[in-house]
Amino acid sequence: MKKLLAITLMVAMVVAMVGCGGGKTADAPTGNNTETTTADTSEAASSNTDEPETHVFMFKSTGNLFGDLMYQGFKEAVESTGNIAEYQSPAETTGAAQVALVEELIAKGVSSITISANDANAFNAISRLAESNGVKLLSADSAIDPSIRASHTIPTTIDGVGTHLVYAALMILAEVSYEENMDMKAKAEEILAANTFANDPVVIGVLSATTTSPVQNLWIASMEKELVRLDAAYPGNIADANTNSADSMLDIKYGNDDPQDSVTQANAFISENKVDVIVSPTTVGMFAAGQQLQDSSSKIKLTGLGLPSEMVNFMPTSHVDEFDAVCPYMMLWNVIDLGAVSGAAAVAAVDGTYDGTVGSSFGYNGKIYTAIEDPDSEGSVIVVGNPYVFFQGNMKEWGGIL
Ligand code: RAM
């Protein structure tokens, strides 16, 4: 029952702001994919006798299990404080569609909106309206601009994810089994130091979400940085898959976090047959690529950030079939915890119990989360925990959870 990845990561932190609140109970939900849940305030409320606040979680778009799981945690955390949780996401995976929904929610008088953003800068204009109406904007998973957010929660450090996506790709192509808690960085460097790919340098493709998606773009940038470092240290093992760009060694395609677009892009990789491995830093891309690679019996391998319940058919069940499987191993984190901590952040921000400065903190479920400087932007960030590697040894256990 150990699946803590051997990734070195830091700990938690928080941001916040002086909170105003002023929320009131939400109206009956409108629009697509809306869920409102009302806590039993008589029993759950702490010492707080005020009217419950409504805290909204908004994912990139509807129909994404990752977003649904985040909301599961968010709702749990918000309701545990006697407040009200609401789930609102647009049908379309765009910043503009999210902004339109934010505008509606401000008009309804919610207290906070926690966004997984399709575009970091899309919310700057609407943030003024939010502020003047006392509505806190926060983000989780995929960030909004630091200047307008009360808090941003990420599952684990960007570089922890980006570098380990590269290590996983190299290890899979070298057919090195994943062993629990192994040092993937050391293993990848060992593979390259042995010049394993000297006769046939590795070509890496990426199947991402949208071109503007903040979190995917950060993970990809981190992958690129690590590839440059590894290429300089162990020349001749990694091919430049993007000769059109001086800044990129990756062949990147965008499936827009849309199932059909992701299938189309996965099929483009298969018919071009240029890459050895597809790394998909989105659960939507992972599932689409898994299906298409399996159906086409392509030799291209797959790894990335996937949900065990969606990927189970494309992954191995033992060491014996590990490298026959489309995706021998992959990574993710506890998505439910990510949602829960971001829900606790929203409540604390609205209550004014933490103020958004580096070092300020709040508690949830017996743990303290403290804001640290965001290494990837101007603001601060809360890091929830560690990523997990999902492999033949633990898929059974996680398939029913995430
Ligand atoms: C998708 C979304 C989300 C990302 C995960 C890994 O569901 O794009 O932003 O964090 O994948």
Side-chain angles (χ1 to χ4, degrees):
M1 30 165 42
K2 236 301 61 78
K3 45 253 135 186
L4 263 227
L5 169 53
I7 292 181
T8 54
L9 291 172
M10 359 206 128
V11 189
M13 51 303 206
V14 182
V15 183
M17 44 179 334
V18 180
C20 65
K24 44 185 164 163
T25 309
D27 297 331
T30 56
N32 46 52
N33 196 42
T34 303
E35 186 187 327
T36 304
T37 52
T38 307
D40 177 352
T41 52
S42 58
E43 110 174 282
S46 48
S47 52
N48 193 343
T49 51
D50 299 346
E51 226 183 309
E53 311 276 356
T54 296
H55 299 278
V56 176
F57 175 64
M58 180 182 295
F59 197 62
K60 290 170 162 181
S61 57
T62 54
N64 187 326
L65 178 61
F66 185 97
D68 298 350
L69 290 167
M70 273 188 78
Y71 180 66
Q72 187 182 318
F74 183 92
K75 179 175 129 179
E76 224 170 270
V78 167
E79 288 187 349
S80 73
T81 61
N83 288 295
I84 298 163
E86 195 173 311
Y87 190 21
Q88 295 265 4
S89 310
E92 216 183 76
T93 317
T94 63
Q98 288 186 305
V99 168
L101 207 45
V102 167
E103 196 169 354
E104 276 176 37
L105 291 164
I106 293 171
K108 277 171 70 176
V110 303
S111 299
S112 80
I113 309 171
T114 299
I115 303 164
S116 169
N118 292 312
D119 181 342
N121 300 321
F123 303 88
N124 291 3
I126 196 86
S127 73
R128 286 192 285 276
L129 186 66
E131 198 179 354
S132 61
N133 282 273
V135 180
K136 302 288 188 201
L137 296 185
L138 305 91
S139 51
D141 174 49
S142 196
I144 59 175
D145 191 274
S147 66
I148 63 160
R149 70 190 189 214
S151 178
H152 177 55
T153 306
I154 57 174
T156 181
T157 61
I158 295 291
D159 277 337
V161 175
T163 56
H164 283 74
L165 289 174
V166 169
Y167 307 147
L170 296 172
M171 284 171 53
I172 286 171
L173 293 176
E175 300 209 345
V176 171
S177 290
Y178 177 77
E179 304 293 346
E180 203 154 332
N181 295 328
M182 78 191 293
D183 182 344
M184 294 172 72
K185 178 175 189 228
K187 184 52 81 179
E189 298 215 29
E190 191 185 310
I191 290 166
L192 296 175
N195 266 329
T196 307
F197 306 116
N199 293 330
D200 190 10
V202 165
V203 184
I204 304 178
V206 169
L207 177 54
S208 191
T210 59
T211 54
T212 58
S213 178
V215 73
Q216 271 81 17
N217 287 345
L218 287 172
W219 286 326
I220 292 170
S222 168
M223 288 178 68
E224 299 274 18
K225 203 172 64 189
E226 188 62 357
L227 282 172
V228 167
R229 185 187 76 78
L230 291 172
D231 187 41
Y234 309 100
N237 280 271
I238 304 166
D240 181 353
N242 190 352
T243 42
N244 296 329
S245 162
D247 307 323
S248 172
M249 294 179 71
L250 296 166
D251 180 352
I252 308 173
K253 300 189 193 298
Y254 298 91
N256 300 325
D257 264 1
D258 173 81
Q260 192 47 53
D261 290 358
S262 301
V263 162
T264 304
Q265 296 305 317
N267 283 333
F269 274 120
I270 293 168
S271 59
E272 289 164 13
N273 202 24
K274 283 192 214 138
V275 303
D276 298 306
V277 59
I278 298 171
V279 177
S280 185
T282 151
T283 58
V284 181
M286 279 293 274
F287 182 60
Q291 278 179 317
Q292 300 314 304
L293 290 170
Q294 184 130 309
D295 290 357
S296 66
S297 308
S298 165
K299 292 266 175 307
I300 299 172
K301 288 290 169 193
L302 175 66
T303 192
L305 306 176
L307 285 163
S309 59
E310 292 183 337
M311 294 301 291
V312 72
N313 292 337
F314 320 122
M315 292 188 61
T317 51
S318 72
H319 270 315
V320 177
D321 60 353
E322 196 169 4
F323 296 102
D324 297 335
V326 165
C327 175
Y329 35 89
M330 64 176 190
M331 282 170 273
L332 204 68
W333 39 84
N334 192 324
V335 186
I336 301 168
D337 286 354
L338 172 64
V341 175
S342 62
V347 171
V350 168
D351 283 355
T353 51
Y354 80 112
D355 69 3
T357 54
V358 169
S360 63
S361 57
F362 63 84
Y364 177 66
N365 209 13
K367 274 179 78 177
I368 301 294
Y369 295 90
T370 305
I372 59 162
E373 262 174 47
D374 186 346
D376 302 297
S377 75
E378 304 272 291
S380 52
V381 70
I382 302 167
V383 179
V384 177
N386 292 325
Y388 305 143
V389 171
F390 296 109
F391 68 119
Q392 48 83 23
N394 64 10
M395 279 294 288
K396 236 187 225 138
E397 183 187 345
W398 280 95
I401 304 173
L402 294 178

